Amino acid sequence: MTQQIKAAFFDIDGTLTSFKTHEVPQSTKDAIEALKAKDIKVFIATGRSPTQMGVVTEHLGITFDGYMTMTGQYCFDSNGFLFKHDIDKRDLRIFFDYLAAHPDVGANFAEEDYVYFNQINETIRIQYAGLGATAPSLVVDDVNRVFDHPTYQFSAFVGEDEERRIVDMLPNCRSVRWHPMFCDFIPADGGKPAGIKAFLKLYGFSREECIAFGDGGNDADMLAYAGIGVAMGNGGELAKAAADYITADVDDDGILKALQHFHVL
C-alpha cells in the first residue's frame, strides 16, 4: 500500500498538455478533480513565468492550489503565499556580454510580471508555434533591464554544446533543458525541488507525502526529490532515469494510470 499522498505536482508541457494536440486529456482533468475531492492539494510545477499562468489555467480549465513557476524560483497561491529566488546579477552581466558577442543568439528573461526577448528569430518562432493555445505573447525589450529588475530565470535558444559553454561561464547558475531548441538558466541552488519544499513547508507535509509528474530534463530533480516521481511515457531520458515509475504517454491517460497504479485514486 502506498504511503498517503497529500500533494501532487504537475509539469505543464508534455505532462498535463499534449505536444500533439496541445490539449489536456479528459482523463487528466477528471483525475485532478478526483484528487481535489479527496482533499489532496494540486500544484503546477512549470518553467513558465507567473504572467503566463492566467492563459494556461484558463485553457486547462483547472483550478490549482498553488503555482510553482520559473522552475521553482517563484511560487505563489491565491492566499498571498510567495516564495522567490532571483538570479545573481553578476551572472546576468556575464550573459549580457555573451549576447553582445553572439548577436544571432535569441534569449528571453523572466521577471515577476514581465517576460521579454532580446530578439525574435526563426528558432523562437518555431518553438512558440509548437505551444499552441497556451503560447505566451512575444515581446522584445532592452536586455539592460536585467540590471534594474529582479530576474528569476533566463533562457538561451542554443544547442547542448553551446549550453555547456555558457554554463561554464556562470559561477552562480545551472542550466535545465526540456526542449531541444533552448535551455533555461536558474540559480545553482534553485530548481523545482526548491519550489516543492516551499509548498510542503507551507502545509506541513513531508516529501514522502507528495507525488510529482514530469517529462523533461528540468523535471528530473523534482522527480528524484518527490516521495513518488512519475515520468511520462513520452518523456526524455533524464526524467525517466530520475523517476520511481514511468507511466503511459500523456495522450494515453498516463497521469490517471499512474495515480491508479499507486492507489492514490
Side-chain angles (χ1 to χ4, degrees):
M1 181 71 176
T2 302
Q3 68 270 29
Q4 183 180 2
I5 294 299
K6 296 181 179 179
F9 295 83
F10 300 92
D11 173 54
I12 296 177
D13 301 292
T15 300
L16 286 178
T17 61
S18 164
F19 282 122
K20 296 178 181 178
T21 67
H22 308 301
E23 300 291 337
V24 182
Q26 188 60 47
S27 67
T28 297
K29 293 182 179 181
D30 293 342
I32 293 175
E33 292 302 328
L35 291 175
K36 293 164 65 177
K38 295 183 68 173
D39 201 29
I40 295 172
K41 302 299 182 183
V42 294
F43 302 93
I44 286 287
T46 182
R48 296 191 185 215
S49 73
T51 58
Q52 298 168 3
M53 288 305 97
V55 65
V56 168
T57 54
E58 180 180 348
H59 184 70
L60 298 185
I62 301 168
T63 300
F64 291 86
D65 293 290
Y67 301 87
M68 179 212 302
T69 66
M70 294 190 280
T71 319
Q73 307 319 117
Y74 195 98
C75 303
F76 65 98
D77 66 14
S78 60
N79 299 314
F81 173 71
L82 180 62
F83 165 83
K84 55 185 179 180
H85 180 21
D86 63 326
I87 291 173
D88 192 306
K89 292 194 183 303
R90 291 170 292 184
D91 284 39
L92 289 167
R93 165 57 68 184
I94 293 168
F95 186 63
F96 178 81
D97 293 340
Y98 168 85
L99 289 178
H102 298 80
D104 294 335
V105 172
N108 75 11
F109 301 86
E111 300 172 7
E112 179 176 3
D113 54 4
Y114 186 52
V115 178
Y116 61 96
F117 292 77
N118 66 328
Q119 62 176 307
I120 305 299
N121 57 28
E122 188 61 22
T123 299
I124 293 171
R125 290 191 186 93
I126 292 171
Q127 192 272 322
Y128 271 66
L131 295 178
T134 64
S137 58
L138 300 177
V139 178
V140 175
D141 208 333
D142 181 0
V143 295
N144 281 292
R145 284 183 58 94
V146 299
F147 304 118
D148 300 317
H149 300 79
T151 300
Y152 297 94
Q153 176 175 280
F154 65 90
S155 307
F157 287 75
V158 296
E160 292 184 8
D161 289 343
E162 195 64 14
E163 173 188 355
R164 284 188 286 268
R165 282 190 282 271
I166 297 172
V167 169
D168 288 343
M169 302 176 189
L170 307 176
N172 304 297
C173 284
R174 66 184 178 97
S175 63
V176 290
R177 180 181 288 268
W178 61 270
H179 196 283
M181 288 187 177
F182 73 96
C183 58
D184 297 323
F185 293 86
I186 59 175
D189 60 349
K192 292 189 178 183
I196 289 181
K197 291 176 187 178
F199 280 118
L200 295 182
K201 181 179 180 180
L202 176 66
Y203 285 97
F205 299 157
S206 70
R207 62 189 289 187
E208 290 77 20
E209 293 174 317
C210 75
I211 186 170
F213 293 82
D215 70 299
N218 64 343
D219 297 315
D221 55 359
M222 173 178 75
L223 300 184
Y225 178 80
I228 301 174
V230 179
M232 306 305 293
N234 51 275
E237 292 308 310
L238 285 176
K240 290 179 177 178
D244 299 296
Y245 181 72
I246 301 172
T247 189
D249 289 7
V250 59
D251 297 293
D252 189 26
D253 306 328
I255 286 178
L256 175 62
K257 288 177 178 177
L259 291 169
Q260 292 173 334
H261 172 82
F262 286 104
H263 307 291
V264 180
L265 292 180

